Amino acid sequence: EAGVTQSPTHLIKTRGQQVTLRCSPISGHTSVYWYQQALGLGLQFLLWYDEGEERNRGNFPPRFSGRQFPNYSSELNVNALELEDSALYLCASSTGQGYGNTIYFGEGSWLTVV
Amino acid sequence: GENVEQHPSTLSVQEGDSAVIKCTYSDSASNYFPWYKQELGKRPQLIIDIRSNVGEKKDQRIAVTLNKTAKHFSLHITETQPEDSAVYFCAASQNAGGTSYGKLTFGQGTILTVHP
């Protein structure tokens, strides 16, 4: 069974640009989560999508946004990139709400903003 | 919101020794507590988790204990091996009122080094 897949694996952007990161969840999983792992700051919850709807978002500015498609894949968009957006962006998936769900992470997308 | 504190930030042990990492959480509504292991440049991998209806769970050399009253939980690794060297993260979440187990609040991580 394929795990959570993310693309691209690495990318470099210039401050002020926009970036789109992509995620395909494990087959059968309807929930997708995005996390940011910046150096020295641990993992911070960004967004949660389930059944195509945004269910919750973390304490991030509106320039961080995303969506979930009918096939449950997801995109994370970051506009007006800032240097501090440099981080590993992790996508995770689970079978959705409900007791007993475990989330599984993808390998992440390394974003460097210069 | 939830706040998770993790200690120690670094832990160095000799191969064969035990390692203990401790976390405290602030939100008494949290009811799911996973532990993740992250090797350098790799994704976090779930190694064990515990839900609030149990006080202890064990999987081979790894065990987790939960004290709901004190709002703390701990990871215990026995008979450590060099391949246990990694960053370990604790986390907490709840599944109630529209939230999800997947909205995890993580501790800051513990760098575990096991010396041969």
Side-chain angles (χ1 to χ4, degrees):
Chain A
E1 178 183 281
V4 178
T5 57
Q6 294 186 242
S7 63
T9 54
H10 296 81
L11 68 167
I12 301 173
K13 290 286 188 177
T14 303
R15 190 171 50 185
Q17 285 188 315
Q18 177 264 346
V19 67
T20 298
L21 308 177
R22 296 176 176 81
C23 172
S24 292
I26 293 171
S27 178
H29 286 189
T30 60
S31 273
V32 170
Y33 312 86
W34 288 95
Y35 283 82
Q36 181 196 66
Q37 187 173 26
L39 194 63
L41 293 179
L43 292 105
Q44 306 287 326
F45 169 76
L46 260 168
L47 289 160
W48 166 35
Y49 292 95
D50 182 64
E51 297 285 357
E53 301 282 335
E54 181 181 302
R55 301 295 185 180
N56 214 320
R57 67 179 292 131
N59 189 25
F60 282 84
R63 58 190 185 83
F64 287 84
S65 65
R67 55 179 173 167
Q68 186 179 33
F69 299 98
N71 66 352
Y72 304 114
S73 66
S74 176
E75 285 182 351
L76 174 68
N77 299 293
V78 187
N79 295 319
L81 284 166
E82 300 178 1
L83 297 178
E84 51 265 35
D85 295 334
S86 296
L88 174 65
Y89 289 85
L90 291 159
C91 175
S93 73
S94 75
T95 55
Q97 297 189 64
Y99 193 82
N101 297 328
T102 300
I103 75 164
Y104 300 89
F105 284 94
E107 294 290 350
S109 294
W110 289 94
L111 171 65
T112 301
V113 182
V114 297
Chain B
E2 175 66 279
N3 183 52
V4 177
E5 297 286 336
Q6 182 173 347
H7 300 281
S9 56
T10 61
L11 180 58
S12 183
V13 300
Q14 289 296 127
E15 182 177 2
D17 288 350
S18 294
V20 180
I21 303 171
K22 299 182 179 182
C23 290
T24 60
Y25 61 99
S26 62
D27 189 346
S28 57
S30 289
N31 54 14
Y32 175 62
F33 308 93
W35 286 88
Y36 285 85
K37 175 184 179 182
Q38 188 176 30
E39 297 175 1
L40 192 63
K42 301 286 189 178
R43 62 188 170 96
Q45 290 195 297
L46 179 72
I47 56 172
I48 196 167
D49 57 11
I50 191 167
R51 293 176 173 86
S52 59
N53 58 344
V54 297
E56 185 174 359
K57 183 177 178 180
K58 188 174 181 180
D59 183 4
Q60 298 181 37
R61 297 186 297 110
I62 295 173
V64 58
T65 58
L66 171 66
N67 184 327
K68 289 176 58 181
T69 302
K71 290 190 283 188
H72 69 70
F73 56 113
S74 300
L75 177 72
H76 305 254
I77 306 174
T78 59
E79 300 171 21
T80 54
Q81 302 165 3
E83 49 265 40
D84 294 330
S85 297
V87 182
Y88 290 80
F89 291 96
C90 64
S93 72
Q94 59 175 281
N95 184 19
T99 60
S100 162
Y101 278 137
K103 184 186 175 184
L104 296 166
T105 301
F106 283 86
Q108 289 302 303
T110 296
I111 302 173
L112 174 63
T113 304
V114 181
H115 299 281

